[in-house]
Amino acid sequence: QVQLVESGGGVVQPGRSLRLSCAASGFTFSSYGMHWVRQAPGKGLEWVAFIRYDTNNYYADTVKGRFTVSRDNSKNTLYLQMNSLRAEDTAVYYCAKNGGGPYYYQISGLDYWGQGTLVTVSS
Amino acid sequence: DIQMTQSPSSLSASVGDRVTITCQASQDISNYLNWYQQKPGKAPKVLIYDASNLETGVPSRFSGSGSGTDFTFTISSLQPEDIATYYCQQYDSLLLTFGGGTKVEIK
């Protein structure tokens, strides 16, 4: 079955960097687009970034220029490099699989989610 | 960006009640809409995809309808295990957006 396991969260000072990882299993990782979604404490869901199977990527305006999504298909792992972190980036970060079949070109709904990893930006 | 306006933000209903949540898009999104359920401390789970299709394994008391800009999510008979926050999400645009969520509680 599909499993997504995030790691790399923690406490970081404002202005510093952090890299999140998402280990995928149970499906052909290289054939699917992947997303990052975050949720600030007590708040709703906010989409962060998408990387397609062909590595084209898209970002929310709130993180564009600071965050970079990437993937290593040989390791079945998704990454989110977060630079210039701000207090407002404090959230649980989820990775999620794009819906649709393999090599689905379009961005779609999110059909499987990981359990999330908490990032706290604080001095 | 496409804005998703979800209402109500919270509701309280009795077991067995019919519950309805609405979601309005700021522009036509065809049927590119999902509904998710999120229980406290857990990741969201997709219930409805493409506005009206029930995800495999999801109880039939959940349903979705609508297209264009106006969408509805319904629980036909509320059960205690349905206590959660529900979100709509559009994927017509390359920039995905979620509704603000509806917290469902038992009266």
Side-chain angles (χ1 to χ4, degrees):
Chain A
Q1 71 279 22
V2 172
Q3 275 203 311
L4 300 169
V5 180
E6 302 93 337
S7 60
V11 180
V12 60
Q13 293 179 328
R16 303 298 292 265
S17 299
L18 200 63
R19 188 178 82 157
L20 306 182
S21 300
C22 170
S25 61
F27 66 104
T28 307
F29 178 73
S30 60
S31 303
Y32 288 86
M34 297 293 296
H35 299 262
W36 287 100
V37 175
R38 68 185 181 183
Q39 186 169 36
K43 302 297 184 183
L45 300 168
E46 180 188 16
W47 174 77
V48 172
F50 171 68
I51 184 166
R52 206 156 50 200
Y53 61 86
D54 61 1
T55 71
N56 279 310
N57 48 55
Y58 307 89
Y59 298 93
D61 290 342
T62 52
V63 306
K64 194 177 297 182
R66 299 189 299 124
F67 290 12
T68 302
V69 60
S70 62
R71 62 193 302 158
D72 184 338
N73 290 337
S74 69
K75 297 182 178 179
N76 289 344
T77 301
L78 175 73
Y79 300 102
L80 185 68
Q81 177 68 42
M82 304 186 294
N83 298 332
S84 303
L85 282 162
R86 306 166 180 167
E88 53 265 37
D89 296 319
T90 294
V92 173
Y93 285 74
Y94 296 99
C95 67
K97 177 179 163 290
N98 195 49
Y103 302 109
Y104 187 67
Y105 193 78
Q106 302 298 328
I107 205 165
S108 184
L110 288 61
D111 57 2
Y112 291 93
W113 298 61
Q115 85 289 348
T117 187
L118 175 62
V119 173
T120 303
V121 183
S122 174
S123 54
Chain B
D1 295 7
I2 298 175
Q3 307 303 316
M4 304 300 294
T5 304
Q6 190 175 336
S7 62
S9 57
S10 65
L11 64 89
S12 181
S14 300
V15 172
D17 281 356
R18 184 180 185 88
V19 168
T20 298
I21 299 168
T22 64
C23 192
Q24 185 171 60
S26 59
Q27 64 188 68
D28 189 338
I29 60 169
S30 184
N31 67 332
Y32 297 127
L33 184 112
N34 276 7
W35 289 96
Y36 301 89
Q37 175 192 64
Q38 186 179 32
K39 296 186 177 181
K42 300 294 186 181
K45 169 189 170 185
V46 61
L47 301 182
I48 302 289
Y49 65 94
D50 293 344
S52 60
N53 294 299
L54 194 67
E55 184 72 16
T56 302
V58 174
S60 59
R61 63 180 180 275
F62 296 100
S63 65
S65 64
S67 67
T69 61
D70 295 303
F71 302 86
T72 300
F73 173 80
T74 301
I75 307 173
S76 61
S77 177
L78 186 67
Q79 300 301 304
E81 60 267 31
D82 300 336
I83 300 313
T85 300
Y86 295 85
Y87 295 92
C88 62
Q89 176 238 326
Q90 67 79 21
Y91 46 97
D92 180 64
S93 162
L94 285 173
L95 305 181
L96 303 185
T97 46
F98 290 88
T102 297
K103 187 174 183 180
V104 174
E105 298 175 323
I106 296 286
K107 191 181 294 183

